[in-house]
Amino acid sequence: MLSGESPLSKHRAAVLPIRSVGFFLVPGFALLCYAATVEALRAANRLSGKELYRWWHAAPSDAPAMASSGATVLPDLSFGTDARQLDLLLVCAGGNPATYRDKRTFAWLRKLARQGVAIGGVSGGPFIVARAGLLTGRRCTVHWDHVPAFQEAFPDVKLTRSLFELDGDRITCSGGVAGLDMMTALIARDHGWELGAAVSDWFLHTYVRDGAGPQRMDLRFRLGVSNEKLLPVLKAMEGHLEEPLSREALAKLAGVSVRQLERAFRSALRRGVHQHYLAVRLDRSRQLLRETSLSIVEIALATGFGSASQFARVFRRVFGFSPREELVRHTRALSPAKRGPQEIIEREKGHSRHRARG
């Protein structure tokens, strides 16, 4: 993989090399995403024998930033500071970045961008960068869990499902260990692919992934399915949620009868075709409830239910509570002091008025 035309060489571009990196840590950020990026810089310095990179940390209101694991990072860069020594600022965020609405952060990011600092985001970080208006018309990626909410909120951003995107002075990463892939590409771009490969090898990361690689594991590994006939069916199910395919159509994809398809599902997944398809649709509905501002009616239609009442009945039967209760539970968990059941009701009323006007 590292001989001949390396994937690392693809990211060479006419941009200024990065020497100093700031990490803006939003409370609840994923520690792995942050560590994968900053440790690559440390390794580059050690392996080259030079101080190629320096890095700093900032957090909202200059308070210690607590990761989702409970680990805390102390800021050493003042929130709102001018660019000065920064070449790149990476926003690290996890949880539900759609709820982050700090106007001071957005203003700071815009100021740094005007001062020539490259701006990027890791995991949920691109959501905050986009909220600041810095990704309009740009190519970017975000963690797959945030994709539905991101698409709804930022239709003018060129969202991809890739591991990372280097679009000039906008740098985004889907999170997880992809941060190491992204930083390896940046190191290779600025200091040669040999050093980039050495950094990857240092962390036992023996397969250097290109930014365009997929975020999610292949279905055969994610679901533990080895039956080749089932794989196109499972992929089709995930791609057809709004208008679910019939069992006959799915069987035709697999090239088997409906009865044979049912047997194959029960053997591989320990549940029938309908049960699995329903579970996929309900999983997506919970994601939409938590990550978007879509109404319950809109979510019901987006996941293949004929009405909100049908959706609510099935949802309660499977999970033991209604979609509205799920909204309330999730909202309280995010910010119990600021939001509550009444806001959920108002959200639904607002959508109802919108539909009536339409």
Side-chain angles (χ1 to χ4, degrees):
M1 189 70 179
L2 294 177
S3 60
E5 179 65 20
S6 166
L8 301 178
S9 64
K10 288 185 177 183
H11 301 288
R12 294 190 180 116
V15 295
L16 294 175
I18 293 168
R19 300 183 183 87
S20 60
V21 181
F23 292 91
F24 181 65
L25 305 176
V26 177
F29 70 96
L31 190 60
L32 176 60
C33 304
Y34 157 71
T37 52
V38 72
E39 282 295 303
L41 303 179
R42 181 186 67 83
N45 285 353
R46 174 160 182 168
L47 294 172
S48 67
K50 304 174 185 177
E51 189 185 54
L52 299 177
Y53 297 99
R54 291 171 293 164
W55 52 91
W56 291 268
H57 306 87
S61 302
D62 293 325
M66 182 177 291
S68 56
S69 64
T72 300
V73 178
L74 299 177
D76 50 14
L77 177 72
S78 296
F79 177 75
T81 188
D82 287 335
R84 293 186 298 180
Q85 304 173 40
L86 283 182
D87 297 318
L88 168 66
L89 184 79
L90 287 176
V91 180
C92 299
N96 186 356
T99 64
Y100 190 81
R101 301 278 181 161
D102 182 40
K103 293 181 180 179
R104 297 172 306 160
T105 295
F106 305 144
W108 185 40
L109 294 179
R110 288 191 290 266
K111 181 176 78 170
L112 290 177
R114 289 194 300 270
Q115 293 174 346
V117 177
I119 304 294
V122 178
S123 189
F127 212 110
I128 294 171
V129 177
R131 186 75 72 194
L134 297 176
L135 288 178
T136 302
R138 297 296 195 102
R139 193 176 66 254
C140 85
T141 189
V142 69
H143 190 282
W144 58 263
D145 193 44
H146 304 309
V147 165
F150 194 99
Q151 289 176 319
E152 180 201 356
F154 310 111
D156 296 330
V157 176
K158 300 175 182 177
L159 182 65
T160 73
R161 305 294 183 96
S162 57
L163 293 173
F164 62 89
E165 292 287 352
L166 308 182
D167 188 356
D169 57 359
R170 297 294 180 268
I171 296 170
T172 53
C173 175
S174 55
V177 294
L180 179 56
D181 295 292
M182 180 181 75
M183 300 311 288
T184 296
L186 289 172
I187 291 165
R189 183 193 71 183
D190 294 343
H191 301 288
W193 75 268
E194 294 87 353
L195 180 58
V199 168
S200 187
D201 196 45
W202 179 262
F203 291 109
L204 314 184
H205 195 52
T206 56
Y207 184 82
V208 180
R209 299 182 297 175
D210 183 68
Q215 291 186 24
R216 302 203 71 183
M217 188 181 293
D218 187 279
L219 278 168
R220 76 182 69 235
F221 302 114
R222 179 150 47 99
L223 298 177
V225 172
S226 58
N227 187 330
E228 294 291 335
K229 291 184 179 296
L230 288 186
L231 294 175
V233 174
L234 294 167
K235 184 176 181 180
M237 285 179 165
E238 293 190 352
H240 293 80
L241 300 181
E242 188 169 354
E243 296 182 3
L245 300 173
S246 67
R247 289 194 307 164
E248 290 74 18
L250 294 171
K252 186 175 181 181
L253 272 176
V256 298
S257 68
V258 171
R259 182 176 295 180
Q260 289 172 321
L261 184 65
E262 284 286 354
R263 283 203 301 266
F265 261 79
R266 294 188 183 280
S267 173
L269 298 168
R270 301 186 183 280
R271 57 187 175 188
V273 174
H274 173 74
Q275 288 82 2
H276 181 78
Y277 211 163
L278 181 62
V280 172
R281 290 160 56 202
L282 288 174
D283 283 346
R284 176 60 64 83
S285 74
R286 293 190 79 179
Q287 183 183 10
L288 293 174
L289 282 166
R290 295 170 175 174
E291 300 283 344
T292 75
S293 61
L294 295 174
S295 70
I296 290 175
V297 171
E298 291 167 323
I299 291 171
L301 296 177
T303 50
F305 294 94
S307 66
S309 59
Q310 181 199 21
F311 170 52
R313 283 196 305 273
V314 175
F315 195 97
R316 181 181 289 277
R317 188 182 74 236
V318 172
F319 298 118
F321 46 84
S322 71
R324 191 181 299 275
E325 290 168 335
E326 167 77 353
L327 276 173
V328 173
R329 286 153 56 105
H330 185 62
T331 303
R332 281 176 174 168
L334 288 174
S335 184
K338 296 180 180 178
R339 305 175 66 186
Q342 187 60 36
E343 183 170 336
I344 303 301
I345 294 170
E346 290 302 318
R347 162 176 155 171
E348 291 303 309
K349 284 182 179 178
H351 282 288
S352 297
R353 288 194 294 270
H354 176 76
R355 290 192 297 274
R357 287 196 299 270

